[in-house]
Amino acid sequence: MPRRIEQVNEVLRKEIALIIERELELPGVMVTVSKVDCARELDSARVWVSVLPDNKAGSALQQLRRQQGFIRHLLAKNILFRRVPQLIFAFDDTAKKAAAVENIFHDLNANK
């Protein structure tokens, strides 16, 4: 991946995380922006988020998707990009999968 895209990804990740934290009301939910994957043309970016508690992930993701235009508007004000990419929010379940694998290892070691 080109260095420029990596830099854009990191800037977008930090700014989107700040916007979610400061500007959106998601009561009873903690949203973490774990990763951003921007397309080479910089016209779209997949935003990977993790949500706690897990049972509210669907509603939080739905709300982020509804607020996508507002988030893009605030991004345009905060960063100096010629064009702010279209945001595509997706659920990042990496931590959940890692915990499941860790539990399997723990169970294997306990059964020795």
Side-chain angles (χ1 to χ4, degrees), residues 5-110:
I5 298 293
E6 289 177 13
Q7 291 172 334
V8 168
N9 288 341
E10 187 59 23
V11 167
L12 287 173
R13 188 191 65 75
K14 287 179 182 178
E15 288 297 324
I16 293 169
L18 283 173
I19 290 169
I20 290 172
E21 178 185 331
R22 294 179 181 167
E23 302 294 334
L24 298 184
E25 291 185 29
L26 300 167
V29 177
M30 186 175 90
V31 176
T32 303
V33 179
S34 55
K35 184 179 173 183
V36 173
D37 289 326
C38 201
R40 286 191 182 276
E41 304 82 31
L42 302 177
D43 59 345
S44 66
R46 184 168 300 272
V47 182
W48 297 96
V49 296
S50 58
V51 179
L52 290 175
D54 285 339
N55 62 345
K56 301 219 178 185
S59 62
L61 198 57
Q62 188 176 35
Q63 191 167 357
L64 287 172
R65 288 175 178 158
R66 269 188 271 148
Q67 296 288 331
Q68 187 258 5
F70 177 66
I71 295 169
R72 280 186 75 208
H73 171 74
L74 293 177
L75 272 176
K77 288 172 60 174
N78 295 344
I79 57 177
L80 298 175
F81 286 179
R82 205 176 288 161
R83 189 176 51 185
V84 176
Q86 189 74 22
L87 303 177
I88 304 162
F89 287 96
F91 181 64
D92 181 11
D93 61 350
T94 305
K96 190 175 182 180
K97 287 180 182 176
V101 170
E102 190 173 311
N103 285 337
I104 291 170
F105 282 129
H106 183 273
D107 291 343
L108 288 173
N109 286 333

